Amino acid sequence: LSVLMTGARLYHFRVSVLEGFSYCNLNAEFMIYVDRPPIAFPSEYIMRGGISFLIGMLLFLVYLYYLHTHHTPFISKSSSLHANLNRDTHEHTGQTTGRGTTDSDEN
C-alpha cells in the first residue's frame, strides 16, 4: 500500500481490518499533517533546468564583460608596421603626404 500525499495539509485516514483476519471489528482512525511536501514531478526538473540555464548565461555574460574590458581588438602587426615605416620615409624624403602638400611646404 502506498499513499501519495501532495500538498501541505492534514490527511485523515480510517483503517478497518477485513472480516476473517481478526476476531473483532478492528477500526482505527489517525491523522497525518504533511508540512513540507515534495515538489511535483515535472516542476523539479523545470526548476533545475531553468536555474542551470540562468547560471550558464550569467557566466557567459561575465566572460563577455571580461573580454570587453581586458582585450583590445586584433590589429594586424604587419600592416601597422608598414604604415609607420611608410610615414617615416615620407617625412624624411619630402614626398607628398595624404593631404596633397609636401613636408617642405609645411615649414
Side-chain angles (χ1 to χ4, degrees):
L1 176 69
S2 70
V3 179
L4 179 63
M5 296 179 209
T6 59
R9 60 180 75 148
L10 182 66
Y11 291 94
H12 183 250
F13 295 97
R14 178 177 295 153
V15 178
S16 300
V17 176
L18 297 174
E19 291 183 25
F21 288 102
S22 178
Y23 292 111
C24 63
N25 281 342
L26 183 59
N27 294 326
E29 293 185 13
F30 61 94
M31 291 186 271
I32 297 176
Y33 182 75
V34 177
D35 189 20
R36 293 183 204 157
I39 299 174
F41 168 67
S43 301
E44 182 178 355
Y45 292 113
I46 291 170
M47 286 184 352
R48 284 184 184 179
I51 290 170
S52 300
F53 179 76
L54 289 175
I55 290 172
M57 286 300 297
L58 180 69
L59 290 174
F60 182 70
L61 291 175
V62 167
Y63 175 70
L64 288 180
Y65 178 74
Y66 171 78
L67 286 179
H68 177 72
T69 57
H70 290 88
H71 294 283
T72 57
F74 178 73
I75 298 173
S76 176
K77 293 184 188 240
S78 63
S79 64
S80 62
L81 178 65
H82 293 299
N84 290 337
L85 288 176
N86 288 335
R87 187 182 64 195
D88 291 340
T89 56
H90 289 305
E91 290 176 0
H92 295 299
T93 59
Q95 294 178 356
T96 59
T97 61
R99 292 169 289 192
T101 62
T102 61
D103 289 337
S104 60
D105 293 340
E106 293 175 5
N107 293 336

XYZ file of all heavy atoms in Angstrom:
860
model
N 0.850 -1.177 0.000
C 0.000 0.000 0.000
C 0.891 1.235 0.000
O 1.806 1.359 0.811
C -0.900 -0.013 1.240
C -1.773 1.220 1.426
C -2.851 1.264 0.364
C -2.376 1.219 2.802
N 0.638 2.138 -0.910
C 1.366 3.407 -0.919
C 0.360 4.536 -1.109
O -0.609 4.413 -1.856
C 2.405 3.436 -2.031
O 1.782 3.497 -3.284
N 0.603 5.607 -0.418
C -0.272 6.776 -0.477
C 0.573 7.954 -0.920
O 1.614 8.244 -0.316
C -0.917 7.050 0.902
C -1.788 8.278 0.826
C -1.719 5.845 1.359
N 0.160 8.620 -1.969
C 0.865 9.798 -2.467
C 0.188 11.035 -1.890
O -0.987 11.290 -2.146
C 0.826 9.827 -3.996
C 1.504 11.010 -4.656
C 2.997 10.998 -4.348
C 1.279 10.981 -6.150
N 0.935 11.777 -1.090
C 0.391 12.977 -0.452
C 1.011 14.196 -1.104
O 2.203 14.437 -0.985
C 0.701 12.961 1.040
C 0.056 11.835 1.770
S 0.490 11.874 3.496
C 0.393 10.157 3.864
N 0.190 14.940 -1.801
C 0.666 16.161 -2.446
C 0.012 17.346 -1.763
O -1.188 17.381 -1.559
C 0.306 16.164 -3.937
O -1.108 16.053 -4.067
C 0.970 15.019 -4.665
N 0.779 18.302 -1.400
C 0.259 19.496 -0.754
C 0.445 19.446 0.746
O 0.439 18.391 1.364
N 0.607 20.607 1.344
C 0.765 20.721 2.799
C -0.631 20.829 3.408
O -1.274 21.859 3.310
C 1.604 21.945 3.145
N -1.086 19.753 4.016
C -2.427 19.745 4.625
C -2.535 18.593 5.604
O -1.629 17.783 5.746
C -3.502 19.653 3.553
C -3.411 18.402 2.702
C -4.487 18.357 1.662
N -4.153 19.298 0.613
C -4.464 19.150 -0.649
N -5.151 18.111 -1.034
N -4.138 20.035 -1.543
N -3.670 18.521 6.232
C -3.960 17.471 7.203
C -4.740 16.358 6.498
O -5.760 16.594 5.871
C -4.794 18.050 8.352
C -5.143 17.104 9.476
C -3.877 16.678 10.213
C -6.111 17.754 10.432
N -4.214 15.152 6.596
C -4.868 13.988 5.991
C -5.479 13.136 7.100
O -4.850 12.880 8.115
C -3.856 13.156 5.187
C -3.366 13.861 3.945
C -2.187 14.604 3.982
C -4.068 13.776 2.764
C -1.734 15.241 2.848
C -3.622 14.414 1.615
C -2.450 15.148 1.672
O -1.996 15.791 0.555
N -6.698 12.703 6.890
C -7.432 11.901 7.866
C -7.691 10.530 7.257
O -8.241 10.415 6.163
C -8.763 12.598 8.206
C -9.544 11.897 9.248
N -10.719 11.242 8.960
C -9.336 11.755 10.582
C -11.200 10.720 10.059
N -10.378 11.014 11.060
N -7.267 9.470 7.963
C -7.417 8.101 7.459
C -8.247 7.269 8.432
O -8.179 7.457 9.645
C -6.038 7.430 7.298
C -5.173 8.087 6.258
C -4.213 9.021 6.626
C -5.311 7.755 4.930
C -3.411 9.616 5.682
C -4.510 8.344 3.971
C -3.558 9.277 4.348
N -9.003 6.334 7.885
C -9.728 5.349 8.675
C -9.332 3.970 8.129
O -9.467 3.701 6.942
C -11.230 5.535 8.542
C -12.011 4.486 9.321
C -13.492 4.702 9.249
N -13.781 5.969 9.935
C -14.816 6.733 9.655
N -15.661 6.389 8.720
N -15.015 7.845 10.322
N -8.829 3.124 9.004
C -8.362 1.793 8.614
C -9.250 0.762 9.297
O -9.527 0.866 10.494
C -6.884 1.585 9.033
C -6.428 0.190 8.655
C -6.000 2.639 8.405
N -9.694 -0.231 8.527
C -10.512 -1.330 9.065
C -9.886 -2.648 8.636
O -9.397 -2.787 7.519
C -11.937 -1.267 8.524
O -12.544 -0.055 8.877
N -9.952 -3.610 9.555
C -9.459 -4.948 9.236
C -10.601 -5.733 8.619
O -11.740 -5.701 9.101
C -8.914 -5.636 10.507
C -8.478 -7.070 10.198
C -7.780 -4.840 11.096
N -10.331 -6.446 7.555
C -11.363 -7.237 6.878
C -11.814 -8.399 7.765
O -11.060 -8.885 8.614
C -10.815 -7.776 5.554
C -10.423 -6.720 4.511
C -9.768 -7.398 3.329
C -11.635 -5.939 4.068
N -13.034 -8.841 7.539
C -13.566 -9.972 8.310
C -12.751 -11.221 7.999
O -12.331 -11.456 6.875
C -15.032 -10.188 7.971
C -15.943 -9.098 8.472
C -17.400 -9.395 8.160
O -17.764 -10.579 8.007
O -18.157 -8.423 8.073
N -12.523 -12.016 8.979
C -11.759 -13.232 8.807
C -10.307 -13.098 9.233
O -9.624 -14.083 9.431
N -9.805 -11.902 9.368
C -8.427 -11.672 9.801
C -8.335 -11.341 11.286
O -7.244 -11.317 11.841
C -7.786 -10.527 8.992
C -7.485 -10.896 7.580
C -8.315 -10.483 6.554
C -6.384 -11.669 7.265
C -8.049 -10.814 5.246
C -6.113 -12.015 5.959
C -6.943 -11.589 4.936
N -9.463 -11.020 11.910
C -9.466 -10.661 13.328
C -10.744 -11.209 13.961
O -11.746 -11.441 13.286
C -9.399 -9.139 13.486
O -9.453 -8.785 14.840
N -10.733 -11.397 15.295
C -11.907 -11.914 15.994
C -12.916 -10.813 16.312
O -14.018 -11.094 16.746
C -11.480 -12.614 17.283
C -10.703 -13.883 17.010
C -9.359 -13.957 17.305
C -11.340 -14.988 16.460
C -8.640 -15.115 17.053
C -10.624 -16.149 16.204
C -9.277 -16.205 16.498
O -8.578 -17.346 16.251
N -12.539 -9.543 16.089
C -13.464 -8.437 16.353
C -13.376 -7.424 15.222
O -12.520 -7.507 14.374
C -13.145 -7.793 17.704
S -11.511 -7.064 17.762
N -14.325 -6.485 15.245
C -14.249 -5.398 14.261
C -13.192 -4.409 14.711
O -13.376 -3.665 15.673
C -15.595 -4.680 14.143
C -16.572 -5.453 13.294
O -16.165 -6.325 12.538
N -17.841 -5.133 13.433
N -12.085 -4.406 14.024
C -10.973 -3.530 14.393
C -10.975 -2.335 13.446
O -10.796 -2.475 12.242
C -9.663 -4.294 14.312
C -8.412 -3.541 14.725
C -8.523 -3.059 16.171
C -7.188 -4.412 14.559
N -11.229 -1.159 13.999
C -11.207 0.092 13.238
C -10.245 1.047 13.917
O -10.181 1.094 15.150
C -12.591 0.742 13.193
C -13.581 -0.101 12.424
O -13.215 -0.755 11.471
N -14.827 -0.078 12.854
N -9.544 1.792 13.124
C -8.622 2.796 13.681
C -8.689 4.039 12.805
O -8.854 3.958 11.586
C -7.205 2.254 13.736
N -8.590 5.161 13.434
C -8.529 6.441 12.721
C -7.264 7.155 13.153
O -6.909 7.164 14.325
C -9.750 7.298 13.050
C -11.042 6.729 12.525
C -12.215 7.667 12.773
O -11.972 8.836 13.124
O -13.347 7.210 12.612
N -6.600 7.771 12.181
C -5.408 8.559 12.500
C -5.283 9.690 11.497
O -5.863 9.657 10.411
C -4.149 7.684 12.532
C -3.830 7.007 11.230
C -2.945 7.587 10.334
C -4.411 5.787 10.907
C -2.647 6.962 9.142
C -4.117 5.157 9.720
C -3.232 5.742 8.829
N -4.540 10.688 11.893
C -4.333 11.869 11.064
C -2.834 12.094 10.862
O -2.039 11.863 11.765
C -4.953 13.100 11.708
C -6.450 13.049 11.729
S -7.150 14.550 12.336
C -7.205 14.193 14.068
N -2.526 12.563 9.689
C -1.133 12.903 9.343
C -1.143 14.318 8.780
O -1.940 14.639 7.897
C -0.556 11.929 8.300
C -0.500 10.526 8.859
C 0.820 12.390 7.854
C -0.029 9.509 7.853
N -0.258 15.149 9.318
C -0.110 16.503 8.778
C 1.198 16.549 7.988
O 2.273 16.277 8.519
C -0.082 17.551 9.883
C 0.031 18.954 9.338
C -1.059 19.570 8.745
C 1.236 19.644 9.387
C -0.962 20.835 8.222
C 1.340 20.914 8.870
C 0.236 21.506 8.283
O 0.338 22.753 7.761
N 1.102 16.882 6.723
C 2.278 16.992 5.853
C 2.699 18.460 5.861
O 1.939 19.338 5.455
C 1.959 16.506 4.427
C 3.150 16.678 3.520
C 1.500 15.067 4.463
N 3.928 18.701 6.339
C 4.423 20.070 6.481
C 5.106 20.568 5.213
O 4.782 21.626 4.696
C 5.392 20.142 7.663
C 5.778 21.555 8.009
O 5.051 22.487 7.624
O 6.815 21.731 8.664
N 6.063 19.821 4.720
C 6.783 20.214 3.502
C 6.671 19.095 2.469
O 7.503 18.197 2.425
C 8.254 20.464 3.811
C 8.473 21.643 4.686
C 9.943 21.873 4.887
N 10.130 22.597 6.135
C 11.238 22.598 6.823
N 12.264 21.915 6.414
N 11.328 23.291 7.932
N 5.688 19.160 1.610
C 5.523 18.077 0.633
C 6.606 18.170 -0.446
O 7.164 19.243 -0.695
C 4.144 18.338 0.033
C 3.968 19.807 0.169
C 4.664 20.177 1.450
N 6.924 17.058 -1.097
C 7.888 17.104 -2.197
C 7.294 17.840 -3.392
O 6.075 17.928 -3.549
C 8.145 15.629 -2.518
C 6.934 14.927 -2.019
C 6.450 15.712 -0.835
N 8.166 18.368 -4.215
C 7.723 19.096 -5.411
C 7.199 18.093 -6.429
O 7.715 16.981 -6.544
C 8.897 19.902 -5.984
C 9.373 20.922 -4.957
C 8.514 20.610 -7.269
C 10.618 21.662 -5.372
N 6.198 18.484 -7.174
C 5.606 17.602 -8.181
C 6.646 17.227 -9.239
O 7.641 17.926 -9.436
C 4.413 18.287 -8.830
N 6.415 16.150 -9.964
C 7.390 15.544 -10.861
C 7.986 16.513 -11.886
O 9.184 16.721 -11.875
C 6.788 14.324 -11.555
C 7.615 13.809 -12.685
C 8.853 13.235 -12.452
C 7.186 13.929 -13.988
C 9.628 12.767 -13.486
C 7.947 13.468 -15.026
C 9.167 12.885 -14.779
N 7.229 17.141 -12.783
C 7.927 17.946 -13.800
C 8.464 19.270 -13.252
O 9.413 19.820 -13.787
C 6.864 18.186 -14.870
C 5.571 18.048 -14.164
C 5.800 17.079 -13.044
N 7.898 19.769 -12.184
C 8.321 21.075 -11.663
C 9.770 21.059 -11.201
O 10.508 22.017 -11.419
C 7.436 21.492 -10.502
O 6.098 21.569 -10.908
N 10.199 19.971 -10.587
C 11.571 19.898 -10.094
C 12.565 19.967 -11.246
O 13.554 20.703 -11.182
C 11.761 18.594 -9.317
C 13.138 18.459 -8.718
C 13.281 17.169 -7.918
O 12.290 16.435 -7.760
O 14.400 16.923 -7.476
N 12.313 19.248 -12.331
C 13.225 19.261 -13.466
C 13.201 20.603 -14.186
O 14.231 21.078 -14.674
C 12.881 18.134 -14.436
C 13.160 16.780 -13.844
C 12.129 15.909 -13.551
C 14.455 16.387 -13.550
C 12.374 14.672 -13.000
C 14.719 15.155 -12.994
C 13.669 14.297 -12.718
O 13.930 13.079 -12.165
N 12.035 21.231 -14.257
C 11.946 22.545 -14.888
C 12.727 23.576 -14.086
O 13.456 24.402 -14.643
C 10.468 22.955 -15.052
C 9.794 22.064 -16.087
C 10.340 24.419 -15.434
C 8.298 22.225 -16.162
N 12.606 23.527 -12.763
C 13.342 24.477 -11.925
C 14.846 24.249 -12.023
O 15.623 25.197 -12.141
C 12.885 24.367 -10.467
C 11.534 24.977 -10.239
S 10.923 25.010 -8.540
C 12.020 24.089 -7.574
N 15.281 23.003 -11.978
C 16.717 22.715 -12.090
C 17.266 23.160 -13.436
O 18.350 23.726 -13.528
C 16.978 21.228 -11.892
C 16.888 20.795 -10.472
C 17.255 19.340 -10.338
N 17.082 18.894 -8.963
C 17.310 17.679 -8.558
N 17.715 16.755 -9.412
N 17.134 17.360 -7.299
N 16.520 22.894 -14.498
C 16.957 23.304 -15.833
C 17.010 24.814 -15.974
O 17.953 25.368 -16.554
N 16.008 25.497 -15.451
C 15.985 26.961 -15.533
C 17.110 27.600 -14.741
O 17.762 28.537 -15.208
N 17.363 27.100 -13.556
C 18.446 27.643 -12.731
C 19.793 27.374 -13.396
O 20.672 28.240 -13.422
C 18.371 27.071 -11.308
C 17.150 27.641 -10.588
C 19.640 27.378 -10.521
C 16.842 26.984 -9.269
N 19.974 26.183 -13.954
C 21.225 25.867 -14.654
C 21.421 26.785 -15.853
O 22.530 27.269 -16.107
C 21.220 24.414 -15.115
O 21.091 23.554 -14.033
N 20.352 27.048 -16.597
C 20.439 27.944 -17.748
C 20.804 29.361 -17.311
O 21.644 30.010 -17.934
C 19.105 27.940 -18.510
C 19.090 28.842 -19.697
C 19.730 28.479 -20.863
C 18.432 30.062 -19.641
C 19.726 29.317 -21.962
C 18.415 30.910 -20.730
C 19.072 30.530 -21.899
N 20.189 29.842 -16.243
C 20.492 31.189 -15.764
C 21.941 31.314 -15.282
O 22.600 32.323 -15.543
C 19.528 31.577 -14.646
C 18.094 31.852 -15.091
C 17.210 32.114 -13.873
C 18.043 33.014 -16.045
N 22.444 30.303 -14.592
C 23.841 30.335 -14.151
C 24.772 30.318 -15.356
O 25.772 31.043 -15.398
C 24.124 29.157 -13.189
C 23.399 29.393 -11.858
C 25.623 28.983 -12.957
C 23.457 28.213 -10.914
N 24.453 29.509 -16.366
C 25.260 29.480 -17.590
C 25.260 30.818 -18.304
O 26.304 31.282 -18.773
N 24.096 31.464 -18.399
C 24.024 32.784 -19.038
C 24.803 33.821 -18.248
O 25.468 34.688 -18.827
C 22.560 33.224 -19.192
C 21.825 32.494 -20.287
S 22.562 32.707 -21.906
C 22.380 34.451 -22.135
N 24.735 33.758 -16.930
C 25.482 34.688 -16.090
C 26.985 34.524 -16.304
O 27.709 35.517 -16.469
C 25.118 34.479 -14.623
C 25.844 35.395 -13.633
C 25.370 36.820 -13.801
C 25.637 34.905 -12.227
N 27.462 33.294 -16.335
C 28.886 33.056 -16.586
C 29.296 33.544 -17.971
O 30.372 34.120 -18.147
C 29.209 31.577 -16.428
C 29.157 31.033 -15.008
C 29.347 29.523 -15.018
C 30.201 31.699 -14.139
N 28.451 33.338 -18.975
C 28.750 33.809 -20.320
C 28.808 35.330 -20.380
O 29.693 35.904 -21.023
C 27.711 33.264 -21.300
C 27.962 33.650 -22.723
C 29.039 33.112 -23.408
C 27.133 34.544 -23.367
C 29.284 33.468 -24.721
C 27.353 34.911 -24.672
C 28.443 34.374 -25.361
N 27.885 36.004 -19.699
C 27.904 37.470 -19.691
C 29.121 38.007 -18.958
O 29.712 39.019 -19.368
C 26.615 38.002 -19.066
C 25.357 37.783 -19.897
C 24.132 38.235 -19.127
C 25.456 38.509 -21.214
N 29.533 37.355 -17.880
C 30.750 37.766 -17.179
C 31.960 37.591 -18.100
O 32.852 38.436 -18.145
C 30.916 36.968 -15.864
C 32.297 37.138 -15.272
C 29.857 37.398 -14.866
N 31.992 36.500 -18.872
C 33.083 36.274 -19.818
C 33.100 37.353 -20.896
O 34.165 37.871 -21.252
C 32.937 34.883 -20.438
C 33.933 34.596 -21.517
C 35.275 34.407 -21.220
C 33.541 34.498 -22.844
C 36.195 34.142 -22.209
C 34.449 34.230 -23.842
C 35.776 34.048 -23.523
O 36.680 33.790 -24.511
N 31.928 37.711 -21.427
C 31.874 38.780 -22.430
C 32.325 40.108 -21.848
O 33.027 40.886 -22.500
C 30.461 38.903 -22.992
C 30.005 37.783 -23.919
C 28.586 38.044 -24.386
C 30.935 37.650 -25.094
N 31.944 40.401 -20.616
C 32.394 41.629 -19.961
C 33.913 41.627 -19.785
O 34.577 42.626 -20.005
C 31.694 41.789 -18.615
C 32.141 43.005 -17.855
C 31.725 44.280 -18.237
C 32.998 42.896 -16.763
C 32.142 45.397 -17.549
C 33.424 44.001 -16.074
C 32.999 45.250 -16.461
O 33.428 46.358 -15.786
N 34.465 40.470 -19.406
C 35.916 40.349 -19.259
C 36.615 40.607 -20.592
O 37.617 41.313 -20.644
C 36.264 38.959 -18.727
C 37.735 38.666 -18.741
C 38.579 39.192 -17.776
C 38.294 37.866 -19.741
C 39.926 38.934 -17.791
C 39.642 37.602 -19.761
C 40.464 38.140 -18.789
O 41.790 37.887 -18.822
N 36.091 40.021 -21.670
C 36.694 40.250 -22.982
C 36.614 41.711 -23.375
O 37.555 42.264 -23.955
C 35.996 39.395 -24.043
C 36.305 37.910 -24.032
C 35.499 37.216 -25.127
C 37.780 37.660 -24.235
N 35.510 42.353 -23.076
C 35.325 43.750 -23.454
C 36.276 44.675 -22.701
O 36.785 45.638 -23.262
C 33.871 44.162 -23.196
C 33.597 45.598 -23.491
N 33.552 46.088 -24.771
C 33.360 46.656 -22.675
C 33.302 47.379 -24.719
N 33.173 47.742 -23.462
N 36.524 44.387 -21.438
C 37.340 45.301 -20.639
C 38.827 44.992 -20.685
O 39.642 45.890 -20.466
C 36.895 45.271 -19.165
O 36.971 43.935 -18.678
C 35.483 45.808 -19.022
N 39.251 43.758 -20.979
C 40.658 43.396 -20.874
C 41.358 43.142 -22.199
O 42.560 42.945 -22.217
C 40.815 42.152 -19.987
C 40.527 42.430 -18.564
N 39.248 42.348 -18.046
C 41.324 42.804 -17.537
C 39.287 42.642 -16.761
N 40.534 42.921 -16.440
N 40.647 43.110 -23.289
C 41.270 42.801 -24.568
C 40.968 43.903 -25.570
O 39.876 44.436 -25.613
C 40.774 41.462 -25.111
C 41.196 40.299 -24.273
N 42.463 39.799 -24.311
C 40.527 39.566 -23.364
C 42.560 38.790 -23.460
N 41.391 38.634 -22.866
N 41.983 44.230 -26.380
C 41.794 45.199 -27.454
C 41.497 44.442 -28.734
O 41.836 43.268 -28.862
C 43.071 46.038 -27.640
O 44.156 45.145 -27.911
C 43.374 46.844 -26.400
N 40.882 45.096 -29.698
C 40.607 44.407 -30.967
C 41.909 44.002 -31.646
O 42.935 44.664 -31.498
C 39.849 45.442 -31.792
C 39.477 46.518 -30.870
C 40.320 46.416 -29.657
N 41.867 42.947 -32.403
C 43.055 42.440 -33.087
C 43.453 43.381 -34.208
O 42.641 43.743 -35.044
C 42.778 41.041 -33.636
C 43.932 40.464 -34.387
C 45.054 40.032 -33.705
C 43.900 40.375 -35.756
C 46.123 39.513 -34.380
C 44.970 39.850 -36.436
C 46.093 39.415 -35.760
N 44.712 43.799 -34.219
C 45.256 44.650 -35.275
C 46.398 43.879 -35.922
O 47.287 43.377 -35.232
C 45.769 45.989 -34.711
C 44.619 46.754 -34.082
C 46.437 46.812 -35.792
C 45.051 47.995 -33.346
N 46.369 43.790 -37.233
C 47.418 43.070 -37.930
C 48.726 43.827 -37.775
O 48.820 45.001 -38.121
C 47.040 42.939 -39.409
O 48.092 42.327 -40.106
N 49.741 43.176 -37.232
C 51.002 43.840 -36.940
C 51.766 44.170 -38.217
O 52.450 45.176 -38.283
C 51.841 42.981 -36.015
C 51.230 42.862 -34.652
C 52.117 42.088 -33.749
C 51.353 41.856 -32.472
N 51.934 42.371 -31.318
N 51.656 43.359 -39.234
C 52.417 43.628 -40.456
C 51.899 44.882 -41.149
O 52.682 45.695 -41.617
C 52.362 42.422 -41.392
O 51.031 42.198 -41.802
N 50.578 45.086 -41.199
C 50.056 46.271 -41.885
C 50.339 47.537 -41.075
O 50.673 48.565 -41.642
C 48.560 46.127 -42.148
O 47.874 46.070 -40.917
N 50.256 47.483 -39.750
C 50.527 48.677 -38.964
C 52.015 49.015 -38.988
O 52.397 50.169 -38.993
C 50.053 48.495 -37.523
O 50.763 47.436 -36.915
N 52.871 48.016 -39.049
C 54.307 48.258 -39.116
C 54.667 48.922 -40.434
O 55.423 49.886 -40.459
C 55.057 46.927 -38.958
C 56.570 47.000 -39.042
C 57.105 47.816 -37.874
C 57.170 45.606 -39.021
N 54.093 48.453 -41.552
C 54.383 49.053 -42.856
C 53.843 50.472 -42.943
O 54.457 51.337 -43.548
C 53.819 48.197 -43.984
C 54.503 46.873 -44.120
N 55.831 46.756 -44.408
C 54.033 45.612 -44.000
C 56.176 45.481 -44.451
N 55.088 44.761 -44.200
N 52.689 50.706 -42.322
C 52.132 52.055 -42.363
C 53.051 53.026 -41.624
O 53.294 54.142 -42.091
C 50.742 52.065 -41.746
N 53.591 52.628 -40.487
C 54.501 53.505 -39.747
C 55.809 53.701 -40.492
O 56.374 54.793 -40.505
C 54.781 52.934 -38.355
C 53.569 53.025 -37.451
O 52.700 53.847 -37.685
N 53.520 52.164 -36.450
N 56.320 52.665 -41.139
C 57.565 52.799 -41.902
C 57.365 53.724 -43.088
O 58.216 54.566 -43.392
C 58.052 51.430 -42.372
C 58.632 50.516 -41.297
C 58.985 49.170 -41.893
C 59.846 51.149 -40.653
N 56.245 53.602 -43.778
C 55.984 54.466 -44.925
C 55.834 55.918 -44.489
O 56.288 56.826 -45.165
C 54.731 54.009 -45.674
C 54.966 52.715 -46.427
O 56.100 52.402 -46.770
N 53.897 51.979 -46.667
N 55.208 56.164 -43.359
C 55.044 57.529 -42.885
C 56.394 58.138 -42.543
O 56.675 59.280 -42.870
C 54.132 57.553 -41.656
C 53.806 58.964 -41.231
C 52.962 58.971 -40.005
N 53.778 58.384 -38.928
C 53.306 57.962 -37.777
N 52.023 58.032 -37.537
N 54.086 57.458 -36.859
N 57.272 57.357 -41.913
C 58.589 57.869 -41.554
C 59.420 58.178 -42.791
O 60.104 59.201 -42.851
C 59.337 56.860 -40.675
C 58.705 56.730 -39.304
O 57.958 57.658 -38.916
O 58.944 55.701 -38.645
N 59.357 57.344 -43.813
C 60.158 57.598 -45.017
C 59.617 58.793 -45.779
O 60.374 59.551 -46.354
C 60.170 56.359 -45.934
O 58.842 56.009 -46.241
C 60.887 55.211 -45.266
N 58.306 59.024 -45.792
C 57.743 60.188 -46.486
C 58.152 61.477 -45.788
O 58.397 62.485 -46.442
C 56.211 60.108 -46.547
C 55.694 59.062 -47.479
N 56.055 58.995 -48.794
C 54.827 58.029 -47.275
C 55.444 57.975 -49.376
N 54.694 57.364 -48.455
N 58.222 61.467 -44.476
C 58.598 62.685 -43.754
C 60.048 63.063 -44.016
O 60.379 64.234 -44.123
C 58.380 62.487 -42.257
C 56.929 62.427 -41.869
C 56.736 62.131 -40.396
O 57.746 61.965 -39.685
O 55.576 62.057 -39.973
N 60.923 62.086 -44.161
C 62.342 62.375 -44.349
C 62.705 62.679 -45.791
O 63.661 63.394 -46.048
C 63.196 61.203 -43.844
C 63.061 60.996 -42.358
N 63.414 61.948 -41.444
C 62.591 59.937 -41.654
C 63.177 61.503 -40.222
N 62.672 60.274 -40.323
N 61.957 62.163 -46.738
C 62.321 62.375 -48.143
C 61.633 63.583 -48.742
O 61.991 64.002 -49.833
C 61.956 61.141 -48.970
O 60.563 60.905 -48.860
C 62.753 59.931 -48.525
N 60.621 64.151 -48.093
C 59.939 65.322 -48.633
C 58.876 64.959 -49.644
O 58.460 65.811 -50.414
N 58.441 63.731 -49.691
C 57.393 63.346 -50.620
C 56.059 63.894 -50.125
O 55.923 64.316 -48.992
C 57.329 61.827 -50.744
C 58.557 61.220 -51.386
C 58.446 59.709 -51.439
O 57.498 59.146 -50.938
N 59.438 59.083 -52.058
N 55.068 63.868 -51.000
C 53.756 64.399 -50.634
C 53.098 63.489 -49.621
O 53.264 62.282 -49.652
C 52.844 64.507 -51.876
O 52.713 63.208 -52.435
C 53.405 65.483 -52.870
N 52.360 64.110 -48.741
C 51.596 63.338 -47.756
C 50.200 63.113 -48.298
O 49.889 63.516 -49.419
C 51.531 64.089 -46.410
O 50.872 65.335 -46.632
C 52.921 64.303 -45.846
N 49.351 62.563 -47.508
C 47.991 62.253 -47.943
C 47.146 63.487 -48.177
O 46.125 63.432 -48.797
N 47.605 64.696 -47.751
C 46.806 65.908 -47.892
C 47.158 66.685 -49.157
O 46.573 67.695 -49.459
C 47.017 66.803 -46.681
C 46.426 66.191 -45.434
C 46.861 66.943 -44.255
N 48.293 66.627 -44.094
C 49.013 66.916 -43.039
N 48.462 67.575 -42.057
N 50.270 66.593 -42.949
N 48.126 66.240 -49.900
C 48.455 66.901 -51.145
C 49.546 67.958 -50.999
O 49.806 68.695 -51.921
N 50.177 68.062 -49.862
C 51.266 69.021 -49.669
C 52.547 68.261 -49.411
O 52.533 67.083 -49.077
C 50.984 69.947 -48.460
O 50.895 69.141 -47.303
C 49.711 70.730 -48.667
N 53.645 68.902 -49.550
C 54.935 68.274 -49.241
C 55.357 68.680 -47.857
O 54.866 69.665 -47.299
C 56.018 68.685 -50.263
O 56.165 70.090 -50.184
C 55.628 68.280 -51.678
N 56.308 67.946 -47.334
C 56.797 68.257 -45.994
C 57.544 69.587 -45.987
O 57.551 70.307 -44.998
C 57.743 67.154 -45.504
C 56.962 65.892 -45.188
O 55.749 66.002 -44.927
O 57.573 64.800 -45.227
N 58.163 69.950 -47.106
C 58.904 71.213 -47.160
C 57.961 72.404 -47.173
O 58.313 73.498 -46.767
C 59.834 71.242 -48.372
O 59.036 71.097 -49.554
N 56.718 72.241 -47.675
C 55.755 73.336 -47.698
C 55.242 73.661 -46.296
O 54.791 74.762 -46.056
C 54.552 72.977 -48.576
C 54.928 72.860 -50.056
O 55.989 73.425 -50.419
O 54.185 72.208 -50.793
N 55.269 72.692 -45.405
C 54.738 72.919 -44.079
C 55.655 73.791 -43.234
O 55.222 74.390 -42.275
C 54.502 71.580 -43.384
C 53.394 70.778 -44.029
C 53.264 69.421 -43.406
O 53.956 69.133 -42.420
O 52.448 68.617 -43.893
N 56.935 73.874 -43.586
C 57.875 74.670 -42.788
C 57.778 76.100 -43.062
O 57.488 76.901 -43.594
C 59.303 74.191 -43.031
C 59.512 72.783 -42.483
O 58.795 72.368 -41.577
N 60.466 72.086 -43.049
